[in-house]
Amino acid sequence: MSISQGNLPAFLSEQRHGHLIDGRMVPAQQGDWVDSFSPADGRLIAQLARGREADVDLAVRAARRAFEGPWSRFTPAQRQKLLIRVHDVIEQHFDEIVTIESLDMGAPLTRLRGARNGLLQSILYFASQAHHAGGQTIPNSLAGRFTTMTIKAPVGVVGGIIPWNGPLFSQWGVIGAALATGCTAVIKPAEDASLTVLRTAQLLLEAGVPEGVINVVTGLGSEAGAALARHPDVNRLSFTGSTGTGREIIKASAVNMKRLQLELGGKSPDIIFADADLDRAVPGAGMGVFGNSGQVCFAGTRIFVERKIQEAFVERLAAFGRSLKVGHPLQEDVILGPLISQRQLERVQGFVQQGSREGAQLVSGGERLGGDLAQGYYLEPTVFSEVHNSMAIAQEEIFGPVASVISFDTPEQALALANQTEFGLGGAVWTSNIKTAMNMVHGIQAGTVWVNCYGAIDPAVGFGGVKNSGYGWKGGTTHIDGFLYQKAVVINTD
Ligand code: NAP
Ligand code: MG
């Protein structure tokens, strides 16, 4: 191991972490705790306050007070400057934060370090959006002399429920947009990976974000998460998670007509034509499905390959999978870390068994790693060929490093198969023919289509889903607009 316990951030030596409400770490009202483990070796690394209705209510009240307090008088320029200070503090603490993330949720440290520029740029992007809240002056046809315009105002208190597969990034969709627009927030991280969010919230205070503007309540989804979703004083909720929970959120939001942004599951198609540059398509599609050990909402898990190159492609994809070093996330040369939990590992292994049972051919991988890694939840990158689109491994979100290769003969067939899914988050096409590429771009029913690449996302562009992958857009000015409401102003100037 390259990093000894002695080198770990001081934050990780604290045994218990309270909620962060109104600028202070506080225990749960009922005083109980949830255990938090590292997926790297199954070890208990901390205990988190177990938030329930009363804790969420305390945090929402703090956020409401902050929304109506001095924070409401921050000018766009002040909010922009604050976000730049936040950027600087996060930059200074970057190594600390990614080490926490790596141990808490299992993403390889080397990969997280490589995301440094992307993360910092996204904070700067939010800083640039502090001046975005402008309306329009609109010519009207009213009888008389009227001047009509729109102005925009922050929606108020925003709830953010985020999953465990990448809190380092996903938390900024709430934090960055709230700070840019003048909203306040209560964030409920996943019980399996809350530490990055708690540490980030502390650093926000250090950067000068006023108390109560960003609050964090930890605990279980069914308790703290559900309480936040139904709280009558939360004006908007950004939810990232599974489609099933997304449906619950929609129901809970009815209590006060919360505005919703739902980033849900996916089963994204990655279409490889025979004229593609396979030297790029193989690693591109490979990392598209194996990256973050497959725990990516837009992972390209259904790989459609033109039949004439199917055999060669499968062979190369399997070799690529075998070449990826799976291991302890803090080890320098590791490309893939563990799955988040024993439960998730068993779920993924269940899909691997079901794939074989249903007649798909297991070409490589599928085994849990033992030896030094036996205490963690490590699974080999797995490739199935001879998959039919109707099999469970081709229809259900596995959220593990499992590729399902399906062959096709014509572009029309590829498109029909690609769209035979309940989801619509991402999709990709690999080809050297621009006509083929554009036909796929227009035909794939998804929020993002990548051409000759996979998974690149820019904060100024963002992404979102259609069908059961949810609605609302994360990133770009559309995202910022979601934190604002529009007001029409009609002035009689007769
Ligand atoms: P999940 O069970 O839906 O959990 C997501 C979040 O919701 C967690 O913070 C969870 O807290 C909380 N939660 C659970 N039940 C809740 C309830 N009844 N009310 C309110 N909140 C509740 O999802 P997961 O299985 O942990 O995460 C993986 C899923 O997230 C996959 O389906 C993946 O596709 C999706 N995802 C989507 C995107 C995207 O941008 N589209 C990005 C990442 C992940 P606890 O964990 O503490 O229970
Ligand atoms: Mg954990």
Side-chain angles (χ1 to χ4, degrees):
M1 192 66 40
S2 57
I3 295 196
S4 72
Q5 291 294 318
N7 296 337
L8 294 178
F11 183 78
L12 286 174
S13 62
E14 289 168 36
Q15 286 171 1
R16 285 181 165 174
H17 301 281
H19 309 303
L20 200 155
I21 298 177
D22 219 1
R24 282 177 297 279
M25 303 296 288
V26 292
Q29 306 259 301
Q30 289 193 23
D32 50 352
W33 304 89
V34 180
D35 290 339
S36 179
F37 302 94
S38 173
D41 52 14
R43 244 182 321 148
L44 181 73
I45 51 171
Q47 288 189 308
L48 309 167
R50 181 168 175 173
R52 294 192 177 82
E53 190 111 37
D55 303 272
V56 168
D57 191 52
L58 201 67
V60 173
R61 282 169 196 270
R64 177 60 60 191
R65 274 196 310 278
F67 180 69
E68 288 166 358
W71 176 237
S72 65
R73 293 185 290 282
F74 269 56
T75 63
Q78 286 173 313
R79 292 198 305 270
Q80 180 176 38
K81 196 167 173 195
L82 181 61
L83 269 157
I84 291 170
R85 278 205 301 272
V86 166
H87 164 277
D88 294 347
V89 170
I90 297 297
E91 187 174 37
Q92 283 154 20
H93 289 264
F94 185 80
D95 271 351
E96 177 197 349
I97 302 170
V98 291
T99 306
I100 292 170
E101 172 100 343
S102 183
L103 259 190
D104 195 19
M105 62 72 62
L109 188 57
T110 310
R111 184 185 73 81
L112 294 176
R113 284 194 179 131
R116 181 189 184 96
N117 283 346
L119 183 74
L120 293 171
Q121 276 168 25
S122 76
I123 301 173
L124 286 182
Y125 176 76
F126 285 115
S128 80
Q129 292 303 299
H131 295 272
H132 173 77
Q136 284 179 296
T137 310
I138 305 169
N140 65 76
S141 305
L142 299 170
R145 284 163 69 91
F146 289 91
T147 301
T148 47
M149 60 174 137
T150 56
I151 55 178
K152 290 186 183 174
V155 291
V157 176
V158 175
I161 299 181
I162 58 175
W164 41 259
N165 63 333
L168 177 70
F169 275 91
S170 44
Q171 61 180 343
W172 288 98
V174 178
I175 298 170
L179 295 182
T181 56
C183 289
T184 59
V186 176
I187 299 178
K188 195 328 245 165
E191 73 196 75
D192 286 330
S194 295
L195 298 184
T196 308
V197 180
L198 284 169
R199 183 63 186 133
T200 301
Q202 289 179 342
L203 292 171
L204 294 178
L205 292 169
E206 206 174 303
V209 174
E211 292 171 359
V213 170
I214 305 291
N215 306 274
V216 180
V217 175
T218 53
L220 310 183
S222 55
E223 296 176 351
L228 188 58
R230 65 172 176 259
H231 197 291
D233 201 30
V234 171
N235 305 102
R236 173 196 162 85
L237 193 78
S238 297
F239 172 78
T240 304
S242 62
T243 298
T245 310
R247 289 190 216 286
E248 296 301 314
I249 300 283
I250 293 173
K251 285 188 220 153
S253 72
V255 64
N256 65 332
M257 302 293 164
K258 271 181 203 72
R259 288 150 188 258
L260 293 181
Q261 179 216 354
L262 302 171
E263 302 281 348
L264 309 176
K267 194 75 193 170
S268 301
D270 198 353
I271 307 175
I272 324 279
F273 283 90
D275 63 1
D277 175 355
L278 288 193
D279 289 342
R280 296 173 77 174
V282 169
M287 285 315 282
V289 60
F290 301 137
N292 210 30
S293 300
Q295 303 167 119
V296 175
C297 52
F298 51 77
T301 46
R302 292 182 302 144
I303 305 184
F304 297 97
V305 182
E306 197 167 346
R307 198 174 307 277
K308 52 185 148 180
I309 59 160
Q310 127 101 21
E311 215 171 298
F313 182 88
V314 167
E315 207 169 286
R316 289 182 64 172
L317 183 68
F320 178 77
R322 282 190 288 265
S323 76
L324 300 173
K325 179 158 176 138
V326 183
H328 193 289
L330 294 184
Q331 207 174 309
E332 295 290 338
D333 55 345
V334 158
I335 308 287
L336 303 179
L339 295 172
I340 188 71
S341 62
Q342 175 76 28
R343 194 171 125 236
Q344 185 66 13
L345 175 73
E346 283 168 11
R347 192 180 125 82
V348 177
Q349 286 179 307
F351 276 113
V352 172
Q353 284 155 12
Q354 191 172 357
S356 296
R357 255 198 331 272
E358 288 184 356
Q361 193 193 335
L362 178 63
V363 181
S364 65
E367 292 294 327
R368 179 180 186 171
L369 276 82
D372 285 352
L373 300 175
Q375 301 306 310
Y377 316 118
Y378 301 86
L379 189 74
E380 293 171 338
T382 305
V383 176
F384 275 107
S385 68
E386 312 294 327
V387 178
H388 290 279
N389 212 28
S390 58
M391 292 177 183
I393 55 169
Q395 287 298 320
E396 291 188 44
E397 186 175 45
I398 299 175
F399 234 54
V402 182
S404 295
V405 178
I406 301 170
S407 35
F408 68 88
D409 294 299
T410 65
E412 295 72 27
Q413 195 193 5
L415 209 47
L417 288 167
N419 289 333
Q420 268 169 32
T421 164
E422 63 171 304
F423 298 111
L425 200 50
V429 52
W430 299 81
T431 175
S432 53
N433 183 324
I434 186 72
K435 278 194 202 165
T436 309
M438 289 314 293
N439 283 339
M440 295 299 126
V441 164
H442 290 295
I444 293 174
Q445 296 160 357
T448 301
V449 181
W450 290 283
V451 179
N452 293 332
C453 59
Y454 202 95
I457 292 177
D458 186 274
V461 180
F463 77 111
V466 291
K467 296 158 75 175
N468 283 349
S469 294
Y471 50 78
W473 192 260
K474 193 148 79 184
T477 52
T478 314
H479 178 133
I480 301 293
D481 268 332
F483 284 65
L484 301 164
Y485 73 93
Q486 178 161 293
K487 194 182 287 184
V489 185
V490 181
I491 307 165
N492 184 346
T493 48
D494 224 357

